[in-house]
Amino acid sequence: MMKYMQMSLLLILTACGGIRGDGRAPRDLDNACSILDQRPGYLRAFKAAERKWGVPVHVQMATIYQESKFISDARTPLRFSLGVIPVGRQSSAFGYSQALDATWREYQQKEGGRRSRRDSIRDATDFMGWYMAETNRTLGISLADARNQYLAYHDGRTGYRRGTYLSKPWLVRISSEIESRAAMYQRQLPRCS
């Protein structure tokens, strides 16, 4: 009996997005309501991170869009030697938030616990909230400032403080796109049921 109850709970949590995604992105990533209709567990995860850390839902959504396109098991591309021999990935980034191994371990030790997973929307949004709240505390970047929070997220807080992004025009362009996407999601969210 207990085994069946555990299996039922596991199925319910998986269906709600509480454990891990199936790897696939929702359809119509330009429509916040469509994303949340397809993945009801996402909104619960975004709201939980917003309550705990203060990072607005639209900032989380825009960042996850950029990092993984809402693909739970997203990875960086492979690197190749001689153009054909795979020699590993470009980085250890993985999951919805594309957290690097070392940063994820730090989060697990300080906040998330050993069992937290990068392919869980709840854990990924909690990680993102934790990281951005610390960025707010140490660098003074508003939690609602999607552009600068992303620059610090991508280049790390030390890189942001040093201005490393200034030598990366592509990253400055992407951060502006994230700012626009966050504003778009913010306009759409009040209309979502």
Side-chain angles (χ1 to χ4, degrees):
M1 178 70 171
M2 184 61 122
K3 182 178 177 181
Y4 293 112
M5 289 174 53
Q6 289 172 336
M7 288 294 287
S8 297
L9 180 60
L10 181 65
L11 288 171
I12 290 168
L13 287 173
T14 302
C16 293
I19 296 188
R20 294 189 302 178
D22 63 5
R24 295 177 297 149
R27 294 176 307 284
D28 195 4
L29 296 179
D30 292 333
N31 184 325
C33 298
S34 176
I35 293 167
L36 299 176
D37 284 346
Q38 293 170 66
R39 305 287 197 284
Y42 283 13
L43 184 58
R44 288 188 290 278
F46 293 137
K47 290 284 192 181
E50 183 177 49
R51 280 188 304 276
K52 184 174 180 182
W53 302 107
V55 179
V57 170
H58 61 278
V59 173
Q60 296 175 60
M61 289 183 74
T63 304
I64 287 179
Y65 170 87
Q66 179 58 42
E67 290 298 282
S68 66
K69 302 296 187 280
F70 294 91
I71 297 170
S72 64
D73 58 357
R75 296 180 186 275
T76 58
L78 287 169
R79 292 178 306 168
F80 292 90
S81 177
L82 305 173
V84 293
I85 303 167
V87 293
R89 301 226 173 246
Q90 292 176 1
S91 79
S92 64
F94 176 75
Y96 288 110
S97 62
Q98 287 295 283
L100 297 171
D101 288 350
T103 312
W104 189 261
R105 280 192 300 274
E106 180 185 352
Y107 162 73
Q108 287 178 309
Q109 290 169 355
K110 292 183 177 179
E111 186 63 38
R114 269 189 21 230
R115 293 184 181 210
S116 58
R117 300 182 57 103
R118 290 179 278 184
D119 58 356
S120 159
I121 191 66
R122 184 169 287 279
D123 293 339
T125 54
D126 190 61
F127 164 81
M128 189 176 295
W130 167 80
Y131 193 90
M132 291 181 174
E134 184 63 18
T135 297
N136 170 258
R137 190 184 72 71
T138 58
L139 299 176
I141 300 172
S142 166
L143 295 172
D145 183 348
R147 180 183 182 280
N148 286 296
Q149 278 285 352
Y150 184 75
L151 289 170
Y153 191 83
H154 185 277
D155 274 15
R157 292 182 204 102
T158 302
Y160 181 88
R161 191 178 289 118
R162 291 180 183 155
T164 55
Y165 60 90
L166 296 171
S167 64
K168 302 173 184 174
W170 59 270
L171 180 57
V172 172
R173 177 184 50 78
I174 287 171
S175 68
S176 293
E177 291 171 6
I178 290 168
E179 181 177 46
S180 297
R181 180 167 293 277
M184 177 185 71
Y185 285 153
Q186 184 178 25
R187 286 189 304 274
Q188 294 170 350
L189 285 167
R191 297 191 299 261
C192 300
S193 53

